[in-house]
């Protein structure tokens, strides 16, 4: 199904022409399951209807929650959920349109307009979560005698985590309404700037995604040219990126201070429903493992490449025995789906839907968001996946990763809009597990020893990128936010913090050139979701431990229990979810269990190398 003429021409063109290249024809999503276009009458009708409902909701319930019966409160939460889901549908559509082509000014205006409309409407319902958090614990507990309200216990449990940090109603409303001209506006400026950038790589002029892809080219001169090009392009905009970073760090400091969060990462940890101490245990374990993991591996890689020292453009260089032939999209799809289906027919069946229906955008085109993501949208619709498919082995693993997110989101949708979403730490479980399933299937099918070693080394690199690199990113953010509290930081000061954690995490095998100091500026997570990055390491270590349990075969009906974990959505915390598998993320030894999997792979490479 194609988008209708109601969609502006720029969207319509992107949706109709599809993408193709050396990897063959690539799919492009069709967003009409959400709305047919920015001029779709359904969009305006939904906004008008939900605004009236939000006003009526405020009139009916504001100031009255304490005296409500449990059944009445459950009905109010259900009405609130219906309003929120419509607003979620609108913003899902607007953000996906913007991600599809952030260069088009019309898309930026549409996205901003929808943000403003949705923020204005939700200001009428903002009282609800604030008033719920003001309820005395004993009063709320009595209401749970209602079976209808008991269903929403996980929602209320997670909402009340923020109770100690809640401000007055007036301040909360001010922060809510100013978001569109505050953090959200800076995020948009960053996205539009990066989407419009051109990077010169030799004689080619590429977008940022295309240039970054060249950093894994087999030709070292191409990698160096790409690295220099990225450095030059971001260096030209360093003043802007430095301003954005300083402003958002200061903005966070102000809000954290008002909310009495003990440290910059605490608010993210609360949102992830994980204790500061658990995150500290993860970070400490990974940092302590730098020498045994990344330092050891990259020393081997330098030897394999015949280099006395690695430069930053060698980090993702293909290995001599690595197969760098193009993998067609259809072959990538078959690899991933066969791995999913072999583990669980249900996972394979749900995954196949994404390919049978226009739910994936893998095409390469100017203005499109770089990287990859899975957007859950709303339970009444379905997720969409975005990736930029260049036909490399890593792209196949990215597809396996994002499909894991998508399948997880489909399975959790039955929990409803308020409880289907998972904390970021647990959101990576299905994605990383899907990667592991795909990797194991490919590795087990490979009989050539050299190519098998190359596959194993590639997996180690992916795991180092997920664990070591992301924890280094987390340490960079921590250092940056701590330093920003003493005053605005210069480009050079931020660059020095970046180089410090890179040297620490990647080790003596690297000799970093000065141009690498600007590379902090292209990481979107620092802008969009501060302190998010440790969730990747959390998810990878968790899955390593979980997959180890699967391989050992000690848990009966593992697949069924795993599906139940995914179906739980946000209703259970990490302790409850991992208990059926005999795992506990609050135990410091848990992280070493996950890290030992990576170390074991490196041990195997060392034995083969010897």
């Amino acid at each position: 199904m194609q988008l209708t003429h109601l969609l502006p021409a720029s969207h319509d063109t992107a949706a109709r022409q599809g993408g193709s290249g050396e990897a063959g024809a690539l799919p492009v999503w069709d967003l009409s399951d959400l709305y047919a276009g920015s001029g779709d009458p359904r969009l305006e009708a939904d906004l008008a209807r939900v605004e009236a409902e939000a006003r009526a909701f405020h009139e009916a319930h504001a100031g009255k929650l304490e005296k409500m019966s449990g059944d009445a409160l459950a009905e109010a939460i259900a009405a609130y959920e219906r309003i929120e889901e419509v607003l979620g549908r609108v913003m899902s559509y607007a953000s996906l349109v913007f991600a599809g082509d952030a260069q088009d000014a019309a898309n930026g205006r549409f996205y901003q307009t929808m943000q403003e409309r949705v923020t204005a409407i939700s200001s009428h319902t903002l009282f609800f979560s604030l008033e719920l958090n003001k309820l005395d614990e004993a009063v709320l507990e009595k209401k749970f005698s209602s079976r209808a309200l008991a269903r929403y216990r996980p929602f209320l449990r997670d909402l009340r985590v923020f109770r100690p940090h809640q401000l007055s109603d007036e301040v909360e409303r001010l922060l809510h309404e100013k978001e569109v001209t505050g953090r959200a506006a800076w995020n948009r400026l960053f996205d539009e700037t990066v989407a419009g950038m051109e990077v010169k790589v030799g004689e080619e002029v590429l977008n940022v995604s295309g240039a970054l892809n060249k950093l894994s080219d087999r030709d070292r001169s191409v990698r160096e040219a790409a690295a220099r090009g990225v450095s030059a392009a971001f260096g030209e905009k360093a003043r802007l990126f430095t301003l954005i970073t300083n402003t958002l760090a200061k903005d966070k400091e102000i809000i954290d201070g008002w909310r009495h969060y003990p440290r910059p990462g605490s608010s993210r940890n609360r949102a992830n429903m994980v204790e500061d101490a658990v995150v500290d245990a993860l970070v400490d374990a990974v940092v302590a493992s730098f020498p045994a993991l990344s330092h050891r591996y990259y020393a081997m890689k330098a030897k394999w490449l015949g280099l006395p020292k690695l430069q930053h453009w060698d980090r993702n260089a293909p290995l001599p025995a690595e197969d760098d032939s193009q993998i067609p999209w259809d072959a990538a799809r078959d690899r991933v789906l066969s791995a999913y289906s072999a583990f669980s027919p249900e996972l394979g069946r749900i995954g196949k839907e994404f390919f049978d229906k226009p739910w994936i955008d893998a095409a390469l085109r100017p203005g499109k968001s770089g990287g990859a993501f899975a957007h859950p949208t709303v339970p009444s619709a379905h997720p969409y996946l975005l990736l930029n498919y260049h036909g490399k082995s890593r792209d196949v693993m990215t597809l396996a990763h994002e499909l894991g997110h998508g399948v997880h989101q489909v399975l959790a949708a039955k929990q409803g809009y308020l409880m289907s979403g998972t904390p970021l730490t647990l959101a990576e479980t299905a994605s990383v597990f899907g990667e592991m399933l795909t990797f194991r299937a490919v590795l087990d099918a490979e009989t050539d020893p050299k190519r098998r070693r190359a596959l194993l080394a590639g997996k180690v690199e992916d795991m180092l990128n997920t664990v070591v690199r992301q924890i280094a990113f987390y340490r960079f953010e921590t250092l940056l936010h701590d330093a920003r509290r003493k005053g605005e930081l210069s480009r050079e000061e931020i660059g020095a913090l970046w180089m410090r954690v890179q040297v620490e995490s990647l080790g003596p095998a690297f000799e970093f050139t000065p141009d690498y100091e600007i590379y902090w500026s292209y990481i979107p997570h620092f802008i969009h979701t501060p302190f998010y990055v440790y969730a990747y390491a959390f998810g990878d270590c968790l899955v390593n431990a979980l997959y180890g349990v699967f391989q050992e075969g000690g848990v009966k009906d593992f697949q069924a229990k795993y599906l139940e974990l995914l179906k739980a959505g946000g209703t259970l915390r990490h302790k409850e979810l991992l208990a059926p598998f005999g795992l506990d993320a609050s135990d410091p030894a848990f992280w070493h269990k996950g890290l030992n999997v990576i170390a074991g792979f490196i041990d195997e490479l060392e034995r083969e190398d010897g």
Side-chain angles (χ1 to χ4, degrees):
M1 185 165 57
Q2 292 178 325
L3 303 185
T4 72
H5 68 282
L6 294 169
L7 204 59
S10 58
H11 307 172
D12 195 54
T13 300
R16 292 177 188 278
Q17 69 189 122
S20 62
E22 294 179 55
L26 299 172
V28 177
W29 58 29
D30 178 348
L31 301 179
S32 58
D33 284 348
L34 297 172
Y35 294 104
S38 59
D40 187 343
R42 286 190 304 138
L43 175 59
E44 185 55 41
D46 278 354
L47 286 168
R49 173 175 55 81
V50 81
E51 181 172 12
E53 290 177 359
R55 290 178 182 274
F57 183 83
H58 184 277
E59 182 67 25
H61 301 303
K64 303 173 185 177
L65 302 190
E66 186 174 9
K67 296 182 180 179
M68 280 185 177
S69 69
D71 286 347
L73 185 58
E75 288 179 14
I77 295 175
Y80 173 76
E81 183 171 39
R82 288 192 294 271
I83 292 170
E84 288 294 300
E85 179 156 359
V86 175
L87 297 179
R89 176 182 285 265
V90 170
M91 283 314 304
S92 292
Y93 178 70
S95 64
L96 291 173
V97 166
F98 184 63
D101 185 0
Q103 272 186 301
D104 189 324
N107 294 355
R109 289 194 299 273
F110 174 62
Y111 180 57
Q112 180 69 14
T113 299
M114 291 302 100
Q115 277 193 311
E116 291 175 6
R117 293 280 299 276
V118 166
T119 299
I121 293 169
S122 60
S123 67
H124 298 296
T125 60
L126 179 63
F127 80 91
F128 192 60
S129 60
L130 301 178
E131 196 170 324
L132 283 171
N133 266 351
K134 292 177 184 176
L135 293 176
D136 182 79
E137 201 68 46
V139 171
L140 181 60
E141 195 58 38
K142 285 182 181 179
K143 296 181 190 294
F144 279 124
S145 60
S146 161
R147 291 182 61 185
L149 184 63
R151 176 182 177 270
Y152 291 105
R153 186 184 281 272
F155 162 68
L156 292 165
R157 172 203 66 195
D158 291 351
L159 179 66
R160 290 171 75 82
V161 166
F162 299 97
R163 191 181 183 199
H165 309 288
Q166 185 168 297
L167 304 176
S168 70
D169 290 3
E170 292 78 10
V171 173
E172 291 287 358
R173 182 169 182 178
L174 174 64
L175 291 174
H176 177 74
E177 293 187 0
K178 276 189 65 63
E179 176 71 11
V180 293
T181 57
R183 172 169 290 277
W186 289 101
N187 286 349
R188 177 187 169 190
L189 175 60
F190 175 86
D191 289 343
E192 290 187 357
T193 300
V194 174
M197 287 172 62
E198 294 182 339
V199 181
K200 189 172 183 182
V201 180
E203 299 303 315
E204 284 188 278
V205 177
L206 304 171
N207 62 12
V208 171
S209 176
L212 292 173
N213 182 61
K214 294 287 187 182
L215 292 176
S216 58
D217 196 276
R218 184 166 293 281
D219 187 331
R220 194 178 192 221
S221 65
V222 172
R223 297 198 305 271
E224 181 176 359
R228 303 288 191 191
V230 170
S231 299
F234 280 86
E236 289 176 5
K237 307 230 179 245
R239 187 173 180 181
L240 174 61
F241 291 129
T242 299
L243 174 62
I244 293 173
T245 299
N246 270 290
T247 302
L248 290 177
K250 185 62 180 179
D251 179 76
K252 179 169 175 48
E253 178 194 347
I254 293 169
I255 294 176
D256 283 354
W258 276 74
R259 295 193 183 282
H260 303 292
Y261 282 113
R263 60 194 203 192
S266 294
S267 59
R268 177 65 58 199
N269 297 342
R270 300 294 185 279
N272 284 343
M273 304 302 158
V274 63
E275 302 79 10
D276 287 354
V278 171
V279 178
D280 290 344
L282 165 64
V283 173
D284 290 346
V286 175
V287 171
S289 74
F290 285 168
L293 299 182
S294 49
H295 296 190
R296 189 161 57 116
Y297 174 77
Y298 288 119
M300 283 194 294
K301 181 165 188 174
K303 185 172 70 172
W304 294 336
L305 295 177
L307 298 170
K309 288 283 187 180
L310 297 174
Q311 297 294 343
H312 67 88
W313 54 80
D314 298 317
R315 186 172 55 83
N316 288 327
L319 299 177
E322 189 173 328
D323 182 6
D324 61 351
S325 59
Q326 286 286 317
I327 302 170
W329 174 256
D330 289 349
R333 175 199 62 203
D334 293 345
R335 285 187 193 183
V336 174
L337 287 181
S338 64
Y340 273 53
S341 298
F343 173 76
S344 162
E346 185 175 357
L347 280 190
R349 177 187 60 78
I350 298 171
K352 189 172 181 292
E353 268 199 285
F354 284 81
F355 297 92
D356 292 344
K357 298 174 181 177
W359 296 358
I360 303 177
D361 191 331
L364 308 173
R365 59 178 181 272
K368 181 181 175 183
S369 177
F373 63 73
H375 193 309
T377 73
V378 291
S380 56
H382 55 78
Y384 284 96
L385 310 185
L386 178 145
L387 55 151
N388 291 271
Y389 189 79
H390 297 274
K392 302 288 183 68
S393 295
R394 281 193 173 93
D395 294 324
V396 179
M397 291 300 123
T398 299
L399 176 61
H401 182 102
E402 299 306 336
L403 187 66
H405 279 306
V407 170
H408 191 178
Q409 291 158 359
V410 169
L411 288 169
K414 70 172 186 178
Q415 300 294 348
Y417 186 75
L418 295 179
M419 296 183 292
S420 58
T422 54
L424 295 175
T425 43
L426 297 173
E428 295 300 327
T429 304
S431 54
V432 179
F433 200 89
E435 274 191 83
M436 183 65 85
L437 290 173
T438 305
F439 166 71
R440 289 288 187 176
V442 173
L443 185 69
D444 292 345
E446 184 55 66
T447 57
D448 181 86
K450 290 184 178 179
R451 292 181 65 176
R452 193 178 187 282
R453 186 181 75 165
L455 285 170
L456 190 59
K459 181 59 177 174
V460 168
E461 291 199 15
D462 287 342
M463 296 171 97
L464 293 178
N465 283 337
T466 304
V467 178
V468 169
R469 188 161 171 79
Q470 300 303 325
I471 292 301
F473 284 176
Y474 178 81
R475 283 175 60 75
F476 166 74
E477 283 190 280
T478 302
L479 292 170
L480 185 144
H481 282 259
D482 286 346
R484 179 63 181 91
R485 295 187 174 201
K486 300 173 185 176
E488 184 163 304
L489 302 173
S490 67
R491 164 192 176 175
E492 291 77 16
E493 288 172 319
I494 299 175
L497 296 176
W498 171 259
M499 294 296 274
R500 172 180 163 184
V501 298
Q502 296 304 307
V503 170
E504 174 189 61
S505 61
L506 297 179
F510 282 86
E511 179 183 70
F512 293 103
T513 52
D515 65 299
Y516 192 52
E517 290 182 358
I518 194 63
Y519 268 65
W520 57 269
S521 60
Y522 87 86
I523 311 294
H525 294 89
F526 299 156
I527 304 302
H528 292 292
T529 46
F531 297 94
Y532 165 47
V533 287
Y534 76 80
Y536 289 112
F538 192 112
D540 198 275
C541 289
L542 186 155
V543 166
N544 287 344
L546 191 62
Y547 196 86
V549 172
F550 169 60
Q551 282 192 308
E552 292 163 6
V555 173
K556 187 180 179 182
D557 299 325
F558 182 96
Q559 284 89 336
K561 287 182 170 69
Y562 176 73
L563 289 175
E564 288 304 310
L565 180 154
L566 301 186
K567 290 175 183 177
T571 61
L572 300 177
R573 297 280 181 84
H574 60 83
K575 275 185 175 291
E576 301 163 301
L577 289 170
L578 294 176
F581 305 96
L583 298 171
D584 181 1
S586 65
D587 181 357
F590 172 84
W591 302 115
H592 293 288
K593 184 187 292 285
L595 294 170
N596 286 342
V597 172
I598 310 175
F601 285 161
I602 298 174
D603 290 343
E604 185 175 342
L605 288 170
E606 276 188 331
R607 285 193 298 270
E608 293 180 5
D609 193 46

